[in-house]
Amino acid sequence: MYHNFAKLFEEAEAAGSIAKAVLNNEMEQHDLTEDEVYTKLATRWLVMRTSAQKALEAPRQMTGNLISGQSKKQQKYAKTRGFSGSVINQAMAWALSSSEVNASMGRVCAAPTAGACGVLPAVMLSAANECDASEQEILEALLVAGGAGAIMTRNATVSGAEGGCQAECGVAAAMAAAAVVTLAGGTAQQLGSAVSIALMNCMGLVCDPVAGLVQLPCSFRNASQAVNALISADMALAGQDAVIPPDEAVEALAKVGRSLPSALRETSQGGVAASKTAQHITQALKMDALS
């Protein structure tokens, strides 16, 4: 049983692949058969795909409607390619869609949290399209993402209230980067670098939800961290060495999270949540609730 990336990579050598090592652990820890593990993965993948597409053409309605219609706007823009290209813009549209579904109390897959639910689906859809991946390959990549997420949950945190948004969208980005490297047939070294790069790219990211709602800036961070995952995987696959091992990056994530003041850990007392406009929004929502 692995508790860190070093041990996971060691077990992967014996098992034949990282996906197989994670599979063996899942079967042992949860008393499941291989078919049962993959059936659960397939169910979650369906939820992910659905949430990533649901708001593309039909904006969702939610309290305050702070992010309603974001996905549709990005989807329309993605068709023009934009400065980031069609792949990146489409990934952002998918991420924004899941965020809208979550904000409207729709069904999402918390990976690792509901607030970060748009990152992994968006990245997986993008990478699967680019790699022309089969369903089995997608599920194996999701399995690896889950294994990476379990390590980060154990050795750091995935709670915004405990470690800021670096612990939610940041960990989601690292999980997604690991999945992309898996889909691309990368090595354990490349996967480790992708995870480290993704975490370093968002180290210190605060959690400051406007009016206490998981809408702003949460949706934008889902989109930006989906992009983080893709570029982190690309850099690792290009041969860039993160230098800092993934286990040390996870340790740093935990330490930084504990160092953040409470105002920047989901309390809506700091960051953009404390801005004048955010305060006006908060008051308006309170008045609406009382009326």
Side-chain angles (χ1 to χ4, degrees), residues 60-258:
R60 310 296 290 177
Q61 299 300 303
M62 72 281 296
T63 300
N65 284 324
L66 301 181
I67 63 172
S68 180
Q70 283 188 337
S71 178
K72 184 175 182 179
K73 292 175 185 176
Q74 203 67 39
Q75 172 76 358
K76 180 179 179 181
Y77 185 70
K79 295 175 182 177
T80 72
R81 291 184 55 82
F83 291 104
S84 302
S86 57
V87 173
I88 292 296
N89 274 291
Q90 184 61 63
M92 289 192 286
W94 280 324
L96 291 169
S97 175
S98 292
S99 290
E100 282 192 57
V101 171
N102 179 57
S104 64
M105 304 303 291
R107 192 179 188 197
V108 298
C109 183
T113 65
C117 68
V119 179
L120 188 55
V123 173
M124 288 299 301
L125 283 168
S126 300
N129 285 347
E130 290 299 303
C131 296
D132 194 24
S134 67
E135 180 80 2
Q136 180 64 24
E137 289 170 332
I138 291 170
L139 296 183
E140 287 180 0
L142 282 175
L143 188 59
V144 172
I151 290 171
M152 289 181 277
T153 301
R154 178 186 180 87
N155 299 316
T157 179
V158 293
S159 167
E162 186 178 4
C165 200
Q166 59 164 14
E168 295 205 28
C169 288
V171 168
M175 292 169 62
V180 174
V181 172
T182 301
L183 276 178
T187 64
Q189 173 66 35
Q190 290 172 326
L191 189 148
S193 284
V195 167
S196 287
I197 293 168
L199 292 178
M200 288 190 285
N201 284 348
C202 66
M203 195 72 68
L205 186 59
V206 304
C207 184
D208 51 350
V210 172
L213 302 172
V214 187
Q215 296 185 35
L216 290 176
C218 316
S219 61
F220 292 128
R221 288 178 183 159
N222 272 261
S224 65
Q225 290 309 306
V227 176
N228 177 22
L230 290 168
I231 64 172
S232 295
D234 261 344
M235 284 190 276
L237 291 167
Q240 305 291 351
D241 184 354
V243 181
I244 307 300
D247 287 319
E248 292 183 27
V250 172
E251 182 182 7
L253 183 83
K255 289 180 178 178
V256 170
R258 289 193 294 269

Side-chain angles (χ1 to χ4, degrees), residues 19-96:
K20 183 63 175 176
V22 177
L23 175 63
N24 291 340
N25 185 72
E26 288 297 305
M27 292 192 295
E28 179 183 348
Q29 293 300 309
H30 302 289
D31 193 25
L32 297 170
T33 66
E34 181 173 339
D35 285 345
E36 287 172 334
V37 171
Y38 279 108
T39 296
K40 288 178 178 292
L41 283 169
T43 298
R44 285 158 177 75
W45 176 228
L46 176 59
V47 173
M48 288 184 187
R49 292 201 316 271
T50 302
S51 70
Q53 297 168 340
K54 201 165 189 177
L56 294 180
E57 300 298 336
R60 310 296 290 177
Q61 299 300 303
M62 72 281 296
T63 300
N65 284 324
L66 301 181
I67 63 172
S68 180
Q70 283 188 337
S71 178
K72 184 175 182 179
K73 292 175 185 176
Q74 203 67 39
Q75 172 76 358
K76 180 179 179 181
Y77 185 70
K79 295 175 182 177
T80 72
R81 291 184 55 82
F83 291 104
S84 302
S86 57
V87 173
I88 292 296
N89 274 291
Q90 184 61 63
M92 289 192 286
W94 280 324
L96 291 169

